[in-house]
Amino acid sequence: MKKFLKTILIILLVLVVIVAGYVAYVFISYHRIPDNQVLDVEAQQNAKAQAGMEYKVLSWNLGFGAYSRDFSFFMDGGKYSWAYSKDEVIRNITASAGRTADQAPDFVLFQEVDTDSTRAYHVNEALLLADNLPGYGYVQACNYDSPFLFYPFTQPHGKSVAELMTMTAFHADSALRRSLPVETGFMKFLDLDRCYSITDIPVDNGKTLRLYNLHLSAYTSDGTIADEQIDMLLADMAKDYAAGNYIIAGGDFNKDLLGDSSVYFGVSAGEQTWAQPFPTDKLPDYLSLQAPLDENAPVPSCRNCDTGYIPGQTFVLVVDGFLVSDNVTVLEKHVIDADFETSDHNPVSMTFVLN
């Protein structure tokens, strides 16, 4: 009996040491990417943007290449923490690049582009996109670089390196990464690092198009963090507008841009609380929220991922769209119906003119 108890105590001690070591690793490894990080423009293009011309911008959260129609994610109450396979990641990213090319956008804003993540089998999705979308200069901004997450225990989520990728058919002078506010205390280990990038596109009239690519937080316990993120974004835009620049911000706002998407799609949010209405009352007069919606045939831009996609049953909404300054004329805006085949998001596009 004494030998048995001794064995049990040794096993428990080993487990305590392993857990303590992992907790120490998480705390030691935690870091925030520096703010105001200057970003390189790769594959620089020579063409110059022009005022008065019609252009198209497309934004798409690619869901790190994992979200086929039947994929569910553990952080949403689903089953999986990794994509099904490396081949599936490559297939989804390649197919998304092809659908993007079919739209022939002048500017592309991608979110959740993994470059070295356990969950995406370490596929460099940015390189895959660049190879499949020639003719664009591009900027990569690391949104988060998280330490190894040893959960769920059956398939640990692992380490994640996810980027925002901005692509432009026109010359870009420079680009910058801005670090967004995130939660503090213990919750900082769950609320991943967040940022937006700003790419400067010179225009032939001497002004600059300030092109923002963003992916705001979804999993926050403190609602004030979401407000602080939007406040910071608007403060930067106020400086840009005062300088006479054009402003277009696109991406995944993780907010219900329609206020109550269930009115249009007929599926109640139920107990889902992660996508609150966008606070339009915060917007100054010179900025407008461009939420893409065809009321005659509404298409959602995002699905909940507690299960695979079931049309008419899965909670869907519009969280992807654009903020635009009043010196930009918006001609069209659409959610492109990709039927959630390669991502939990559908792409959104906007056609515009720089006045």
Side-chain angles (χ1 to χ4, degrees):
M1 178 62 72
K2 288 183 178 179
K3 186 176 181 180
F4 174 75
L5 291 175
K6 184 178 180 180
T7 301
I8 295 297
L9 287 173
I10 290 172
I11 292 172
L12 289 175
L13 180 61
V14 169
L15 289 175
V16 168
V17 170
I18 290 172
V19 171
Y22 174 70
V23 171
Y25 155 75
V26 170
F27 274 85
I28 293 169
S29 300
Y30 179 81
H31 67 284
R32 291 217 63 191
I33 300 168
D35 193 13
N36 290 306
Q37 186 180 68
V38 175
L39 306 173
D40 294 328
V41 181
E42 305 290 346
Q44 182 69 269
Q45 301 297 296
N46 295 321
K48 194 165 189 177
Q50 300 179 47
M53 295 293 291
E54 186 175 311
Y55 295 124
K56 179 191 284 189
V57 57
L58 180 144
S59 177
W60 199 351
N61 182 326
L62 299 182
F64 64 92
Y67 290 83
S68 306
R69 281 169 57 94
D70 57 349
F71 185 86
S72 63
F73 190 50
F74 79 103
M75 288 189 73
D76 292 318
K79 294 174 59 177
Y80 305 103
S81 56
W82 296 6
Y84 291 144
S85 68
K86 182 176 182 178
D87 287 345
E88 184 82 348
V89 171
I90 294 172
R91 184 192 73 81
N92 284 339
I93 294 297
T94 302
S96 296
R99 191 179 288 271
T100 298
D102 290 343
Q103 292 293 316
D106 301 285
F107 307 98
V108 185
L109 308 171
F110 287 130
Q111 302 87 42
E112 280 201 48
V113 178
D114 280 12
T115 55
D116 188 17
S117 299
T118 308
R119 63 188 187 179
Y121 300 87
H122 303 282
V123 173
N124 188 330
E125 297 172 357
L127 182 59
L128 198 57
L129 291 167
D131 287 346
N132 281 274
L133 290 165
Y136 293 94
Y138 60 92
V139 173
Q140 296 172 236
C142 188
N143 197 22
Y144 51 84
D145 180 358
S146 68
F148 195 97
L149 176 62
F150 206 85
Y151 184 84
F153 301 121
T154 54
Q155 189 185 56
H157 191 55
K159 179 178 175 57
S160 298
V161 181
E163 298 189 343
L164 308 176
M165 189 171 183
T166 301
M167 308 187 82
T168 170
F170 299 98
H171 180 83
D173 272 349
S174 59
L176 188 71
R177 180 193 185 278
R178 296 298 322 273
S179 294
L180 281 163
V182 295
E183 296 206 52
T184 57
F186 179 77
M187 285 303 298
K188 70 184 181 182
F189 298 108
L190 301 178
D191 183 21
L192 298 173
D193 208 346
R194 292 285 176 177
C195 75
Y196 52 83
S197 66
I198 310 172
T199 303
D200 285 348
I201 313 294
V203 183
D204 65 348
N205 60 3
K207 296 184 178 183
T208 299
L209 167 59
R210 298 275 277 175
L211 187 61
Y212 286 69
N213 188 350
L214 57 88
H215 186 188
L216 303 184
S217 294
Y219 304 103
T220 58
S221 63
D222 183 356
T224 62
I225 298 300
D227 288 338
E228 289 176 10
Q229 290 185 350
I230 292 174
D231 290 344
M232 176 181 164
L233 180 69
L234 297 181
D236 268 356
M237 291 179 174
K239 297 174 186 175
D240 293 339
Y241 188 75
N245 295 318
Y246 304 103
I247 302 167
I248 295 178
D252 179 357
F253 288 81
N254 270 317
K255 298 283 183 292
D256 191 336
L257 302 188
L258 303 181
D260 182 2
S261 286
S262 66
V263 172
Y264 301 94
F265 304 114
V267 182
S268 171
E271 296 181 357
Q272 303 296 332
T273 60
W274 58 270
Q276 297 300 311
F278 184 89
T280 52
D281 59 309
K282 286 180 173 286
L283 294 180
D285 292 341
Y286 55 82
L287 281 179
S288 63
L289 176 65
Q290 301 293 327
L293 179 73
D294 181 349
E295 294 192 18
N296 295 320
V299 177
S301 78
C302 181
R303 69 171 178 92
N304 196 41
C305 297
D306 54 340
T307 66
Y309 177 54
I310 306 172
Q313 296 183 35
T314 300
F315 173 52
V316 293
L317 67 170
V318 172
V319 300
D320 305 272
F322 305 92
L323 286 174
V324 176
S325 56
D326 61 8
N327 51 7
V328 178
T329 298
V330 175
L331 303 177
E332 293 182 320
K333 52 193 177 182
H334 303 285
V335 179
I336 300 161
D337 192 357
D339 205 25
F340 300 117
E341 287 184 357
T342 60
S343 173
D344 57 325
H345 290 249
N346 283 323
V348 298
S349 69
M350 183 179 73
T351 305
F352 64 93
V353 173
L354 303 174
N355 298 336

